[in-house]
Amino acid sequence: MVYVTRRETFCAAHRLFNPNFSDEQNEKIFGKCSNPNWHGHNYVLEVTVAGHPNPETGFVVNLVELKQIVKENIIVKVDHKNLNIETDFMKGLIPSTENIVVAIWNQLVDKIPGGRLYSVRLSETENNFFEYRGE
Ligand code: NI
């Protein structure tokens, strides 16, 4: 099995808060990420596809096609956007990195043009990675 990863970066704003919590509870649980006036992160997204190389092309997946699919379905909807209010696939979800990786997986899982989606990995800061493998 060969694992092929496409890396993309995007910048987005968000606010972590639960409307059922008081301001104090939100501040206590979400800290700086609960700032009412939003804040941004430089996200790094890694989409990994697994498969065996196609004998006719040598490719697991055509990276030009994969790049285009990630761009159309994810990047244009998140880059320089507010994840709480502008990103259709995040509607009704707290935009934690956990929820974002699962939502990105759900957007991509049926659209992979070769092999199968193996993992979606997202970092919100240099020190924290979040990974979802569809289980
Ligand atoms: Ni944040």
Side-chain angles (χ1 to χ4, degrees), residues 14 16 33 39 41 124:
H14 77 165
L16 299 186
C33 275
H39 63 279
H41 292 281
E124 189 186 72

Side-chain angles (χ1 to χ4, degrees), residues 15 17 30 34 54-55 96 108 130:
R15 180 192 176 199
F17 75 107
F30 298 114
S34 201
N54 179 322
S96 64
L108 295 178
F130 300 76

Side-chain angles (χ1 to χ4, degrees), residues 12 74 77-79 81-92:
I74 308 298
K77 296 179 176 187
V78 295
D79 191 33
K81 305 285 191 209
N82 181 316
L83 300 175
N84 293 74
I85 58 182
E86 292 183 285
T87 302
D88 57 1
F89 64 77
M90 291 304 298
K91 283 274 186 302

Side-chain angles (χ1 to χ4, degrees), residues 3-56:
Y3 298 85
V4 179
T5 299
R6 173 71 196 174
R7 182 177 180 275
E8 294 283 348
T9 59
F10 61 92
C11 306
H14 77 165
R15 180 192 176 199
L16 299 186
F17 75 107
N18 185 324
N20 299 320
F21 295 167
S22 67
D23 288 348
E24 292 74 27
Q25 278 176 301
N26 275 312
E27 170 72 27
K28 191 170 176 219
I29 293 166
F30 298 114
K32 286 194 290 188
C33 275
S34 201
N35 173 29
N37 290 321
W38 321 105
H39 63 279
H41 292 281
N42 296 321
Y43 291 94
V44 179
L45 172 65
E46 291 168 285
V47 174
T48 300
V49 170
H52 298 288
N54 179 322
E56 291 182 327

